[in-house]
Amino acid sequence: MKIRTKIQLYSSLFLLAMLLLLNVILAFLFFSFSLEREKETLEDQAALLKENHSKNEIFGGGSSILTAYTPEDGTVFIVNLDSEVVNMNADDEDDAEVIPPRHVKEEEFDVRYREERLIYRLPYRADGELIGTIEIRTSLESVFEGLSLLSTVLMVASLIILILSVVAGRWLSTLIIAPISIMSRTISEIERDGTFKTIPVEAEDSKDELKAMAVTFNKMMERLEINHAKQQQFLSDASHELRTPLTIIDSYASLLKRWGMEDKKILEEAVEAIQHEAQRMKTLTGHLLEAATQGHADEAEKEELEAVQFCREVALPLSRTSNRTILIDASQQEITMVADKTKLEQVLIILLDNALKYSSDEIIIKVEQDERIAIIVEDKGIGISQKDLAFIFDRFYRVDRSRSRKTGGNGLGLSIAKTMVEAMGAELEIKSVEGKGTSAAIIFDA
């Protein structure tokens, strides 16, 4: 069942139920008020009869004195203690046979729905002695006729309202469902054609939930398109990066197979090249896996650490293995900060590795604290040109591909570093002057 049909059906059924409930309530209130009015009339008539006439006139007089107190289409009976009629005035002589009059000790109302009669019985006392009962009856035919007329009017009005609501509901459901229909059609086209499309949204459209949903859908499509393009580029670059070392390994393996076993020089060259390319593939694969997980990386597990000593501990192994000098320059002897220790260590290693690759002089790690805490890795290497500086965080972007290939670079390190820094709620800023060196700063809020 379509949403439009469901809206029309459920709204119509709900309105029908409400109208039926309203009709029942109105009919009940009308009947209750009308019946109460008739009761009050009978009470007044009986009280007037008792006040205006004596016992002898009421019980022993003629029926003429009862005429003024008899309701239209009604009856007045005067009965003794044995429920025998001693005086009466009735338009219908058979009324006493249909509903026999009777004596009561307490006043009461008796509603006879089948006979459409309302009966009021009032005990008559004289000098403290119970003499008999005044019984006044009136017809409820006019009340039931009014109830029937009211019910007919309510049913006709309800039917008209229901028809109008169906028409209005159809128009309203069309108005509401239109954006959803467009969205559904757009999604079907995307699924069929494999393209990314957006829903047209007019600036003057009302700012309701449907427009918000359409705007959100468009943003999602734009993001998916961008991510799809990045994914395609990522796969292309990754396959290209892996193809080169594999080609080299395959070439040297073929060379070894043909002549390497007999020529020691070729054997050493081939083994060294294969080992170098295998190591480069291992590094590249690790970076690819790291980059692939950055989109859903775990949240940073922050802890308090002493920044100066931490930088010394990270720099020492790299300094020894590379046989290079890495200096620590701190504005204070101890600087306490809060960060994810594992992520910060990985970022520092990436920045130091780049500094060691592209410079031959000593590396300086500055730890500064003022309004914010900054860990800065500085080198006096070849630097980066201003036109390349804007793209250094893009995956697989390399300033000089031939130079990067010699050093083993693959263009993923800074992209991974930036993602990790942002996960810690910090900033990564790169400043560089070509030919003079590069400065990479990790900046935390103090």
Side-chain angles (χ1 to χ4, degrees):
M1 187 182 294
K2 293 183 177 180
I3 295 180
R4 177 184 301 174
T5 306
K6 287 183 179 180
I7 292 175
Q8 292 177 343
L9 178 61
Y10 294 153
S11 62
S12 298
L13 289 176
F14 179 76
L15 180 61
L16 179 61
M18 292 298 100
L19 289 174
L20 289 176
L21 179 62
L22 179 62
N23 290 351
V24 170
I25 292 174
L26 289 176
F28 175 76
L29 291 176
F30 172 82
F31 181 78
S32 298
F33 291 151
S34 299
L35 188 63
E36 194 63 31
R37 187 174 62 249
E38 294 295 333
K39 288 180 178 180
E40 291 175 357
T41 301
L42 295 186
E43 282 182 322
D44 293 341
Q45 294 293 83
L48 288 173
L49 174 61
K50 187 176 180 180
E51 291 175 2
N52 295 333
H53 298 278
S54 65
K55 177 187 70 173
N56 294 332
E57 290 177 327
I58 296 174
F59 283 82
S63 61
S64 58
I65 64 170
L66 303 178
T67 303
Y69 307 98
T70 304
E72 185 177 356
D73 296 330
T75 307
V76 176
F77 293 102
I78 306 299
V79 297
N80 58 20
L81 298 178
D82 297 325
S83 297
E84 297 175 349
V85 178
V86 296
N87 196 2
M88 65 174 290
N89 182 54
D91 292 335
D92 186 359
E93 297 293 339
D94 298 328
D95 194 18
E97 296 180 2
V98 175
I99 305 174
R102 61 187 179 85
H103 169 67
V104 293
K105 296 181 179 180
E106 301 290 339
E107 66 172 339
E108 67 174 20
F109 284 97
D110 186 8
V111 183
R112 299 295 184 94
Y113 294 100
R114 179 178 296 180
E115 294 84 4
E116 297 183 355
R117 283 284 189 275
L118 174 62
I119 303 173
Y120 175 60
R121 299 184 179 96
L122 176 65
Y124 189 92
R125 288 180 171 82
D127 300 328
E129 182 182 357
L130 186 61
I131 305 301
T133 299
I134 300 175
E135 183 174 311
I136 304 180
R137 304 179 180 183
T138 185
S139 173
L140 293 178
E141 184 178 354
S142 60
V143 175
F144 284 106
E145 287 178 354
L147 181 62
S148 176
L149 179 60
L150 176 64
S151 300
T152 302
V153 172
L154 290 176
M155 292 300 294
V156 172
S158 299
L159 183 61
I160 294 173
I161 292 173
L162 191 61
I163 293 173
L164 292 177
S165 72
V166 170
V167 175
R170 184 175 182 82
W171 172 78
L172 184 61
S173 61
T174 301
L175 182 65
I176 294 175
I177 296 301
I180 300 178
S181 300
I182 295 173
M183 186 180 299
S184 177
R185 187 165 57 251
T186 303
I187 293 174
S188 298
E189 292 174 357
I190 292 172
E191 192 275 335
R192 184 182 66 248
D193 303 334
T195 58
F196 295 94
K197 298 182 179 180
T198 57
I199 299 173
V201 178
E202 300 296 335
E204 61 272 11
D205 286 350
S206 59
K207 295 182 179 180
D208 55 15
E209 289 82 356
L210 292 175
K211 181 180 179 180
M213 183 169 62
V215 171
T216 303
F217 178 84
N218 289 344
K219 289 181 179 178
M220 181 183 69
M221 284 295 103
E222 292 171 0
R223 185 172 181 180
L224 286 175
E225 187 173 9
I226 293 172
N227 288 339
H228 181 264
K230 286 183 177 180
Q231 182 187 39
Q232 294 299 106
Q233 185 63 41
F234 181 86
L235 292 174
S236 176
D237 291 341
S239 61
H240 175 76
E241 293 294 331
L242 288 170
R243 189 183 297 115
T244 301
L246 287 173
T247 301
I248 294 174
I249 291 172
D250 182 63
S251 299
Y252 274 103
S254 299
L255 185 64
L256 280 174
K257 187 176 181 181
R258 284 180 290 177
W259 299 297
M261 300 300 180
E262 301 174 359
D263 191 332
K264 186 176 180 180
K265 184 178 180 180
I266 293 177
L267 176 62
E268 290 177 354
E269 180 185 348
V271 170
E272 184 179 349
I274 289 173
Q275 184 182 18
H276 180 269
E277 294 303 320
Q279 185 62 38
R280 198 156 73 87
M281 282 183 61
K282 181 180 178 182
T283 303
L284 175 61
T285 303
H287 282 177
L288 287 173
L289 291 173
E290 187 68 38
T293 58
Q294 291 306 304
H296 48 83
D298 295 334
E299 293 184 1
E301 297 180 359
K302 296 182 179 181
E303 59 182 289
E304 191 175 277
L305 56 89
E306 202 284 297
V308 180
Q309 181 61 28
F310 177 79
C311 291
R312 286 196 184 97
E313 292 173 356
V314 174
L316 184 59
L318 291 175
S319 177
R320 287 176 177 173
T321 55
S322 64
N323 197 26
R324 297 277 297 281
T325 301
I326 302 177
L327 300 177
I328 307 296
D329 181 11
S331 61
Q332 302 174 30
Q333 289 186 352
E334 292 186 1
I335 297 177
T336 303
M337 61 181 294
V338 177
D340 186 313
K341 189 174 181 178
T342 303
K343 284 183 169 58
L344 182 58
E345 181 179 2
Q346 288 180 278
V347 173
L348 269 177
I349 291 174
I350 290 172
L351 297 180
L352 288 171
D353 184 58
N354 283 344
L356 291 168
K357 285 176 182 176
Y358 302 120
S359 69
S360 56
D361 295 332
E362 63 185 20
I363 310 299
I364 301 175
I365 300 177
K366 293 183 178 180
V367 185
E368 301 176 350
Q369 182 179 23
D370 42 31
E371 294 181 355
R372 297 196 291 179
I373 297 174
I375 300 176
I376 307 168
V377 178
E378 289 186 353
D379 67 68
K380 295 181 176 60
I382 57 178
I384 305 170
S385 66
Q386 292 302 309
K387 68 181 183 66
D388 291 318
L389 202 58
F391 305 101
I392 59 174
F393 294 120
D394 293 348
R395 290 177 177 178
F396 293 105
Y397 184 82
R398 293 181 299 202
V399 176
D400 185 339
R401 286 187 175 267
S402 61
R403 182 188 68 199
S404 297
R405 198 173 303 282
K406 292 176 184 177
T407 58
N410 50 52
L412 285 172
L414 287 178
S415 174
I416 295 171
K418 183 175 177 63
T419 304
M420 287 185 175
V421 169
E422 290 177 348
M424 291 187 289
E427 299 176 18
L428 179 59
E429 294 183 356
I430 306 292
K431 297 179 182 179
S432 184
V433 178
E434 193 170 11
K436 293 187 178 181
T438 302
S439 170
I442 311 168
I443 303 172
F444 295 86
D445 293 329

